[in-house]
């Protein structure tokens, strides 16, 4: 593809073509309506839909545009670092380092003002201290719960993840969206009652 | 999946699980970085990224949150109606009717206030009269141009689409984002010069 004559636009399009690679990064969880594994780009689209439909469940008012932009870019580092399953202890031990290195390569493809803006949103998501970031995390945790519950345990069952480990991760949903956290917990407990999880 | 006890949340989650099916709808164009065909959900994620990165190229200031919400839902009707290739004359003749029927089924899965809000955004996108909708359309047209140009003609070559037909569709980019329209035209003309399109 040839570069446009406007250097700023050239950088922006280079970034947009580069991040297309997110469509090739597979996650562990299945789709809600199909057993195939979900990729990061379609996962992010789903989270953006959840953000706009479920914004009312954030305990403090959130800035929806910022939440959506945060969710849009929160997984870009996985283009280089790959997806780390949240129940993979070995992967988790090197995740932060791998993802930081990726952030340092990917965001600076943008013009400096936008690189700083999106890197800032990624940092905020990672720190998980603001209401916007906590709500974004709640959705990021809720979405695979929905998909795995539909498939009677899905990726959890396949990777022998215990209900206790899942319920520990579900805590992050409670913090960012209590009503959604309570519902996620109910779904996990139901899978235990039905014998799908131990 | 069991229903939450809050009826409003139950409707919202039912909608969110239903629209997961967008991940199963294949478009004609390839990914930018892989020859496999793109699905509608990852396409929409890419358009949302384009909206936030390229908003400065809209000729009139756009309301970015609305543009993003519009792009998020603009293809949902394809869950029922399927993707219609914009160079498929027969498909285009029945597209409006098929998509309207889908809109009448899908949006009302939401609670009435949200159903009206997102149906309104879809109607606005379809009418393509407001600056927000025209910018959204420009991105929706630009994205496959980028992907097909990277693959030296991609889906256009495969389906014997002429440069003349492509340039006619590129006009919609000019209207919603003139700088991006000029660049898209340059890409198409280059493919002709290089012998990839006639």
């Amino acid at each position: 593809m040839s570069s446009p004559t406007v250097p700023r636009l050239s950088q922006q399009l280079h970034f947009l073509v580069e991040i297309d690679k997110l469509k090739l990064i597979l996650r562990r969880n299945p789709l809600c309506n199909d057993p195939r594994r979900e990729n990061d780009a379609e996962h992010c689209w789903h989270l953006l839909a959840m953000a706009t439909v479920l914004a009312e469940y954030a305990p403090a008012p959130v800035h929806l545009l910022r939440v959506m932009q945060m969710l849009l870019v929160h997984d870009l580092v996985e283009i280089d670092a790959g997806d780390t399953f949240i129940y993979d202890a070995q992967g988790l031990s090197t995740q932060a380092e791998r993802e930081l290195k990726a952030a340092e390569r990917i965001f600076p493809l943008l013009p400096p003002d936008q690189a700083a803006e999106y890197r800032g949103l990624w940092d905020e998501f990672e720190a998980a201290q603001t209401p916007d970031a906590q709500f974004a995390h709640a959705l990021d945790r809720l979405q695979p719960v929905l998909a795995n519950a539909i498939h009677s345990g899905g990726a959890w069952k396949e990777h022998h993840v215990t209900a206790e480990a899942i319920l520990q991760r579900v805590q992050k949903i409670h913090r960012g969206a209590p009503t959604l956290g309570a519902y996620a917990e109910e779904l996990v407990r139901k899978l235990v009652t039905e014998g799908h999880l131990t």
Side-chain angles (χ1 to χ4, degrees), chain A residues 64-77:
Chain A
L64 185 54
L65 176 61
R66 292 188 80 250
V67 171
M68 288 176 71
Q69 288 172 317
M70 201 180 280
L71 287 169
L72 195 60
V73 302
H74 84 290
D75 273 343
L76 291 185
V77 292

Side-chain angles (χ1 to χ4, degrees), chain A residues 37-56:
Chain A
R37 284 168 66 183
E38 190 183 38
N39 72 54
D40 263 349
E42 58 197 7
H43 165 69
C44 288
W45 164 80
H46 212 181
L47 292 184
L48 287 158
M50 290 173 72
T52 184
V53 169
L54 303 175
E56 66 199 77

Side-chain angles (χ1 to χ4, degrees), chain A residues 19 37 41 45-46 52 107 109 113 117 127 163 168 174:
Chain A
I19 68 170
R37 284 168 66 183
W45 164 80
H46 212 181
T52 184
F107 292 111
L109 297 174
D113 59 318
E117 182 187 353
Q168 200 187 319
H174 281 284

